[in-house]
Amino acid sequence: MRSLIVSIFFGAFLGALVGLGVGAARSAHVAWTPELEANRGELYAQLEEPSAQSSESSAPDGKQPRVKVEEELFDFGIMEKNPSTEKGEHAFYIENVGDADMTLADGGKGCFCTDFTISKSTLRPGEKATILFKWDGARSGGVFNQGIRVLTNDPAKKELTFIVKGLYTSPIISDPPEVYFNNVSASSEASRPLRVMGFERNDDGSPFDLQIEAIEVSDPEHFEVTLEHDSLDNLTEKDKKSSLLSETANLFTGNVTMKPGMSQGAFRELIRLRTNSPKTPIYEIHLNGQIAGSTIKVTGNLYDTRTDGQLRIDKVQQSVGTSTTLRMTVQDSVIMNEQTAYVKSVRPDWLQVKMNYPPEELQKVSKIRLIDIEVQIPPGSPEGAFMGPEKEKLGEIVFVVGDSEETRQEIVIPVRFAVGK
């Protein structure tokens, strides 16, 4: 029964995604990184080069490889999420039905939770290759919808996108799944609505009497969560028409309130609900966002200012290390130097951060201070991953700007990266 309920709701959602258009939807499944984009032409050029070992490579003009794919989308259906169902794999097939050799190459994937292998990089006419798509839905909740991309030298079909989708159900679902406070002011209070729905039922099919026994917040000084048991009778007519809400066994409604006084920059906190459910005794909801400042802004090529406010360095080779730059723009009459703008702390402690201040003479004629910041992961850094999702599992840089206790501000920059061999 529960699977049917959730299927009705999310089936409509998935159908809406498909209705947006095949081209646009597929492009959203694969994160086309700047490195892939920069090498795109080179990859295509390599694919179109004739194979030195192929007897077909010297075939007369007019002969071309041609892609044939029977399946590009696999729907694993509805699964109750647990350790035995989170990981899966599915084989897609590419056949060369043309009259010249076909070359295949890795074109990227949309999520670190997916991986794939190509059984053959070159297909003679009539041959097939297996694309083995593997996924791990350990961190997925609700809809799973991910894709991979394979490049070919078929002039009519240079890119193939293979998609795996499905639905992981849960006895408890929150709406929204994560609570966001983006670009809010540190000096004012902000609030976001929250609903928690329970789908669990007893063996006889009757609704399980879900109770939220305790609400814990990782930063209770700045966040308050209220949830009360609610009835569908109190919802709007529009809400009552929702398949999800109308079939929910238990409904809780409330708010998440952010209090004034947060540090500028990104934050990632956690709401933990303790319940009487034997299947889900603890249910967690992430709190994400950015605190905006009117006088201080941070920018950078790898700094994500649109969503989670993270500096995304990602993979780093241990023997080489890496570095990137940020720019801090401060609008203030105070001269910026080692005493008025500095690094308060870093995590891990071997992360190196250097601030380069504009000349004092220039600062005296303008209230805009541009501070260039060098962030370095030095060669020989310890192996390890600082990839989240919890804030303690990310790297972090904390800046302090200001010349007195009254005006001093902290800016928190989470750093996402992993060091490997």
Side-chain angles (χ1 to χ4, degrees):
M1 178 65 179
R2 178 164 50 80
S3 295
L4 177 61
I5 294 167
V6 182
S7 177
I8 292 171
F9 175 79
F10 284 107
F13 179 75
L14 289 173
L17 285 179
V18 174
L20 291 176
V22 175
R26 285 181 179 170
S27 65
H29 291 286
V30 181
W32 194 259
T33 65
E35 291 79 10
L36 284 172
E37 187 65 43
N39 296 330
R40 194 176 189 180
E42 183 181 341
L43 283 169
Y44 282 143
Q46 292 173 1
L47 291 175
E48 292 168 357
E49 287 179 0
S51 170
Q53 298 177 355
S54 170
S55 59
E56 301 290 336
S57 62
S58 57
D61 290 344
K63 291 190 175 183
Q64 293 181 345
R66 189 156 63 92
V67 166
K68 181 181 179 182
V69 176
E70 298 290 344
E71 178 190 38
E72 295 177 81
L73 171 66
F74 173 68
D75 187 343
F76 62 72
I78 300 173
M79 295 185 188
E80 184 165 334
K81 186 179 174 183
N82 59 61
S84 67
T85 62
E86 288 169 351
K87 294 184 179 181
E89 62 180 46
H90 181 75
F92 296 96
Y93 300 95
I94 299 175
E95 183 179 1
N96 181 8
V97 295
D99 47 19
D101 280 6
M102 178 182 294
T103 309
L104 305 177
D106 183 337
K109 58 185 182 179
C111 174
F112 70 90
C113 61
T114 63
D115 202 0
F116 69 101
T117 57
I118 304 172
S119 64
K120 293 181 179 180
S121 59
T122 302
L123 300 180
R124 293 179 179 275
E127 288 187 337
K128 286 186 177 181
T130 302
I131 313 299
L132 186 61
F133 189 128
K134 298 182 179 181
W135 68 91
D136 185 349
R139 287 177 54 191
S140 296
V143 174
F144 182 90
N145 204 355
Q146 295 296 338
I148 60 173
R149 182 175 289 155
V150 177
L151 306 181
T152 85
N153 63 334
D154 179 349
K157 210 163 191 179
K158 291 188 173 185
E159 296 180 2
L160 298 170
T161 301
F162 297 97
I163 299 167
V164 169
K165 71 175 186 178
L167 177 67
Y168 286 111
T169 64
S170 173
I172 300 175
I173 295 176
S174 65
D175 176 28
E178 296 191 8
V179 180
Y180 288 92
F181 289 85
N182 279 341
N183 294 317
V184 294
S185 171
S187 60
S188 59
E189 185 174 283
S191 184
R192 299 289 185 268
L194 178 64
R195 287 173 175 160
V196 175
M197 294 156 282
F199 294 92
E200 195 170 347
R201 294 183 178 270
N202 299 314
D203 293 338
D204 62 0
S206 61
F208 173 78
D209 184 19
L210 178 67
Q211 299 294 327
I212 297 177
E213 298 175 338
I215 302 175
E216 301 170 358
V217 187
S218 57
D219 183 3
E221 181 183 350
H222 295 111
F223 291 95
E224 181 180 25
V225 181
T226 58
L227 282 171
E228 295 183 357
H229 210 292
D230 207 345
S231 168
L232 292 172
D233 295 336
N234 297 328
L235 299 175
T236 65
E237 290 302 317
K238 181 179 178 181
D239 284 336
K240 289 179 182 179
K241 294 177 182 178
S242 163
S243 300
L244 186 68
L245 288 169
S246 64
E247 299 294 341
T248 298
N250 291 273
L251 173 65
F252 298 83
T253 60
N255 292 283
V256 181
T257 302
M258 189 192 77
K259 304 173 187 177
M262 290 280 288
S263 297
Q264 183 178 333
F267 65 84
R268 190 172 183 85
E269 302 296 339
L270 189 68
I271 302 170
R272 182 177 287 110
L273 306 181
R274 296 191 180 273
T275 80
N276 66 333
S277 166
K279 289 187 175 181
T280 314
I282 296 176
Y283 183 76
E284 295 182 341
I285 306 168
H286 284 285
L287 282 170
N288 302 311
Q290 294 185 67
I291 306 300
S294 58
T295 60
I296 305 173
K297 295 191 181 299
V298 179
T299 57
N301 289 335
L302 302 182
Y303 182 51
D304 181 1
T305 58
R306 294 186 178 182
T307 56
D308 52 18
Q310 294 181 7
L311 176 60
R312 294 176 170 268
I313 300 176
D314 291 334
K315 296 180 181 179
V316 180
Q317 189 175 346
Q318 185 182 37
S319 61
V320 179
T322 193
S323 63
T324 187
T325 59
L326 296 170
R327 169 163 284 184
M328 181 182 293
T329 304
V330 183
Q331 297 187 44
D332 201 317
S333 59
V334 176
I335 299 297
M336 293 293 112
N337 53 38
E338 291 84 353
Q339 284 73 46
T340 56
Y342 55 90
V343 178
K344 178 182 178 180
S345 63
V346 296
R347 185 175 65 232
D349 57 10
W350 42 262
L351 194 66
Q352 297 181 5
V353 182
K354 181 182 178 183
M355 302 181 73
N356 299 303
Y357 309 95
E360 187 171 330
E361 293 76 13
L362 182 61
Q363 295 189 52
K364 290 179 179 179
V365 297
S366 173
K367 288 187 177 181
I368 299 177
R369 287 83 169 89
L370 302 179
I371 305 173
D372 291 324
I373 302 167
E374 301 174 25
V375 180
Q376 183 180 22
I377 300 172
S381 297
E383 280 189 82
F386 297 84
M387 307 288 277
E390 292 81 9
K391 64 176 182 179
E392 294 80 7
K393 295 182 180 179
L394 288 165
E396 183 181 81
I397 306 170
V398 180
F399 298 97
V400 173
V401 177
D403 63 344
S404 67
E405 278 192 35
E406 293 76 19
T407 62
R408 200 165 287 145
Q409 299 183 58
E410 286 192 359
I411 300 92
V412 181
I413 307 293
V415 187
R416 185 178 187 270
F417 70 98
V419 178
K421 292 183 178 179

